[in-house]
Amino acid sequence: MYRTLLAACLLAGLPLAAQASDALSYNLIEAGYIHTDSDNASADGVAIKAMLALHPSVHVFADYSAQRVDQVDVDVDQWRAGIGWNHELSSTTDLLLRASWLGWRPEYGSDVDGYALELGGRLFANHRWEVEALAGWENYAEHNGINPEPEFYGRLGAVARFNEHWGLGAQVRLGKQSSREWFIGPRASW
């Protein structure tokens, strides 16, 4: 009885013990240009993104952007910080599950916080290309009468790798209700 229970517990823990694909790094930093476009306004600015592996299958990540809304000359800062789980599906493909805390800080008006959940994958296509696709859901909390609608979104990205440590990354985030966001910039990984 105890041996059966022990074997069942070990088998249940195998997916959590799986490591990231050897071809994909979860230690990286990238910075670059970000552009946000919505039905009412557009904004441009800079962003920095970082990821750090805590364990072969667990990573933390953080993003920060500072943008200026063109039509009204107002600055808006956004940040995201979270934790992710990565599971190797093959030697070049990882399954991703992420949870993050979000912040939206306009120059004038109320600060708004929220959270997001993402599910997707990363693929090491070849020694020159890496791609990423994630489906997400975000929800911002009501604050001072502002109650943004929860939203599903998609995030697609690619990295053109110059060598093992350097590349050029591009990413687009498309939401059903909110803005579209584009990012491009160099990436360093180790």
Side-chain angles (χ1 to χ4, degrees), residues 61-63 78-83 98-105 112-117 139-141:
F61 57 93
D63 303 349
Q78 291 182 7
W79 58 266
R80 175 178 78 134
I83 188 164
R98 293 180 174 167
S100 58
W101 187 255
L102 311 170
W104 191 73
R105 306 290 186 259
V112 182
D113 294 320
Y115 62 91
L117 302 171
N139 187 20
Y140 281 93

Side-chain angles (χ1 to χ4, degrees), residues 4 22 39 45 58 81-82 104-105 119 121 123 134 136 154 169 186:
T4 305
D22 291 336
D39 295 337
V58 177
W104 191 73
R105 306 290 186 259
L119 175 66
L123 169 68
L134 295 158

Side-chain angles (χ1 to χ4, degrees), residues 2-55:
Y2 292 109
R3 288 182 189 166
T4 305
L5 184 59
L6 179 60
C9 289
L10 289 174
L11 287 174
L14 282 178
L16 296 175
Q19 297 184 5
S21 167
D22 291 336
L24 297 168
S25 173
Y26 286 87
N27 294 308
L28 60 93
I29 188 166
E30 55 189 355
Y33 170 76
I34 189 167
H35 175 79
T36 304
D37 188 27
S38 71
D39 295 337
N40 301 326
S42 61
D44 296 288
V46 295
I48 186 165
K49 303 178 180 199
M51 191 180 311
L52 180 66
L54 299 178
H55 180 273

Side-chain angles (χ1 to χ4, degrees), residues 8 10 18-19 34 44 60 70 84 96 133 149 164 186:
L10 289 174
Q19 297 184 5
I34 189 167
D44 296 288
V60 292
D70 296 332
L96 299 176
E149 292 285 325
E164 183 181 347

Side-chain angles (χ1 to χ4, degrees), residues 89-151:
L89 297 177
S90 73
S91 62
T92 60
T93 307
D94 282 357
L95 173 69
L96 299 176
L97 178 61
R98 293 180 174 167
S100 58
W101 187 255
L102 311 170
W104 191 73
R105 306 290 186 259
E107 184 177 0
Y108 306 106
S110 299
D111 296 348
V112 182
D113 294 320
Y115 62 91
L117 302 171
E118 294 179 331
L119 175 66
R122 287 179 73 193
L123 169 68
F124 180 78
N126 59 42
H127 70 284
R128 292 287 179 216
W129 289 99
E130 177 184 317
V131 294
E132 174 179 271
L134 295 158
W137 181 78
E138 70 181 13
N139 187 20
Y140 281 93
E142 181 178 347
H143 185 71
N144 290 341
I146 299 171
N147 190 11
E149 292 285 325
E151 177 178 47

